[in-house]
């Protein structure tokens, strides 16, 4: 799981007078953000491996002449789950990249140019920048419920990779000798799909209760994720009502 990445930290030795601004607390927050972004990247990488496996498996099945409709239907259901989780994670990455590297950074640059008069001002605007970064990554105290859901989805990406018995040494002879259930744990895939859909609903509930006017945070991320209203329409159709 992701616990193995908890010790993968970003460190930096800061000398005086820079340590007046980049304090030990600021470094701790940077390390927390770095660890989280690595976890997101690792989850995306895991799903990329799964995509390669499914692509190769589909090609081998097609060449082996065993592409029966029932087999293709099962593979399509697995691919759909993979696409759903991958879409969530890639959207999360896009949200982080846009808001950390662009919006928050430009705000920090603007503050340095127009608000700073002395060292205390530099310390303050830098603290605001780091605080914004924590909020964008859902690592602030206010966004802990969102972080819990996202952590669950990151874990699901790793578990999804484990649904496949062998991601290496896949050959046409392997496909001919083994049935599909020996290569893919379909029951685990279904369990991940159920948990993922539940997490999306939980995220929607949090979004419906949060401010729609905040510049950064869940409202903006949900706008990225739900740009065509797919999730909100599906959820409200399933439950038959809106959450407030």
């Amino acid at each position: 799981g992701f616990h193995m990445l908890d010790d993968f930290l970003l460190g930096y030795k800061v000398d005086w007078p820079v340590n007046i601004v980049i304090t030990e607390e600021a470094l701790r927050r940077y390390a927390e953000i770095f660890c989280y972004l690595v976890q997101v990247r690792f989850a995306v990488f895991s799903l990329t491996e799964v995509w390669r496996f499914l692509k190769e498996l589909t090609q081998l099945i097609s060449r082996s002449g065993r592409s029966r409709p029932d087999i293709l239907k099962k593979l399509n259901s697995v691919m759909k789950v993979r696409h759903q989780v991958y879409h969530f994670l890639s959207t999360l990455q896009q949200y982080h990249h846009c808001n950390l590297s662009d919006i928050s950074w430009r705000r920090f640059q603007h503050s340095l140019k127009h608000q700073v008069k002395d060292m205390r001002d530099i310390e303050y605007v830098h603290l605001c920048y780091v605080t914004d970064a924590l909020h964008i990554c859902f690592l602030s105290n206010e966004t802990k419920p969102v972080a819990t859901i996202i952590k669950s989805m990151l874990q699901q990406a790793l578990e999804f990779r484990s649904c496949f018995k062998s991601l290496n040494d896949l050959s046409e002879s392997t496909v001919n000798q083994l049935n599909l259930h020996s290569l893919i744990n379909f029951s685990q895939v279904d369990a991940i799909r159920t948990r993922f859909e539940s997490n999306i609903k939980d995220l929607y509930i949090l979004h419906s209760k949060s401010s729609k006017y905040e510049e950064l945070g869940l409202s903006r991320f949900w706008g990225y994720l739900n740009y065509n209203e797919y999730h909100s329409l599906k959820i409200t159709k399933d439950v038959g009502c809106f959450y407030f």
Side-chain angles (χ1 to χ4, degrees), residues 94-106 129 136:
Q94 179 188 4
Y95 159 79
H96 289 322
H97 177 75
C98 178
N99 290 277
L100 283 175
S101 303
D102 187 17
I103 297 176
S104 182
W105 178 252
R106 283 193 288 108
Y129 168 68
I136 290 168

Side-chain angles (χ1 to χ4, degrees), residues 4-22:
M4 66 181 182
L5 297 175
D6 290 342
D7 296 328
F8 192 63
L9 301 176
L10 176 68
Y12 180 64
K13 183 180 179 181
V14 184
D15 296 322
W16 187 89
V18 180
N19 60 2
I20 297 175
V21 176
I22 305 180

Side-chain angles (χ1 to χ4, degrees), residues 4-176:
M4 66 181 182
L5 297 175
D6 290 342
D7 296 328
F8 192 63
L9 301 176
L10 176 68
Y12 180 64
K13 183 180 179 181
V14 184
D15 296 322
W16 187 89
V18 180
N19 60 2
I20 297 175
V21 176
I22 305 180
T23 61
E24 288 292 329
E25 177 62 20
L27 288 173
R28 185 191 65 78
R29 293 180 179 181
Y30 276 124
E32 188 178 1
I33 293 169
F34 176 76
C35 182
Y36 165 74
L37 293 177
V38 168
Q39 290 176 346
V40 174
R41 183 64 178 171
F42 187 59
V44 172
F45 175 76
S46 297
L47 291 180
T48 302
E49 281 194 311
V50 171
W51 174 81
R52 291 171 182 160
F53 170 83
L54 289 172
K55 180 181 179 181
E56 186 174 353
L57 177 60
T58 303
Q59 292 173 345
L60 288 173
I61 290 176
S62 178
R63 288 199 299 267
S64 69
R66 302 183 63 186
S67 54
R68 302 195 313 267
D70 59 325
I71 292 179
L72 294 179
K73 184 178 180 181
K74 289 179 179 179
L75 276 179
N76 285 336
S77 66
V78 175
M79 291 177 183
K80 182 179 179 181
V81 176
R82 186 262 169 197
H83 288 326
Q84 287 176 319
V85 181
Y86 184 80
H87 174 258
F88 175 86
L89 293 179
S90 60
T91 303
L92 183 64
Q93 273 196 316
Q94 179 188 4
Y95 159 79
H96 289 322
H97 177 75
C98 178
N99 290 277
L100 283 175
S101 303
D102 187 17
I103 297 176
S104 182
W105 178 252
R106 283 193 288 108
R107 177 187 292 176
F108 179 47
Q109 295 287 87
H110 182 273
S111 297
L112 287 174
K113 184 176 181 180
H114 298 284
Q115 297 181 18
V116 170
K117 296 179 180 178
D118 54 32
M119 187 64 75
R120 288 183 180 274
D121 289 339
I122 296 177
E123 182 182 4
Y124 173 73
V125 297
H126 177 256
L127 178 62
C128 291
Y129 168 68
V130 177
T131 301
D132 274 353
L134 284 173
H135 194 70
I136 290 168
C137 294
F138 308 110
L139 297 173
S140 62
N141 290 330
E142 298 83 3
T143 56
K144 280 184 177 179
V146 181
T148 300
I149 295 173
I150 290 178
K151 286 280 187 179
S152 174
M153 290 178 159
L154 295 178
Q155 184 62 39
Q156 287 164 35
L158 292 190
E159 292 176 4
F160 190 74
R161 185 188 183 282
S162 68
C163 293
F164 304 89
K165 301 297 175 64
S166 176
L167 291 176
N168 299 311
D169 303 322
L170 188 63
S171 64
E172 191 168 337
S173 60
T174 305
V175 175
N176 288 329

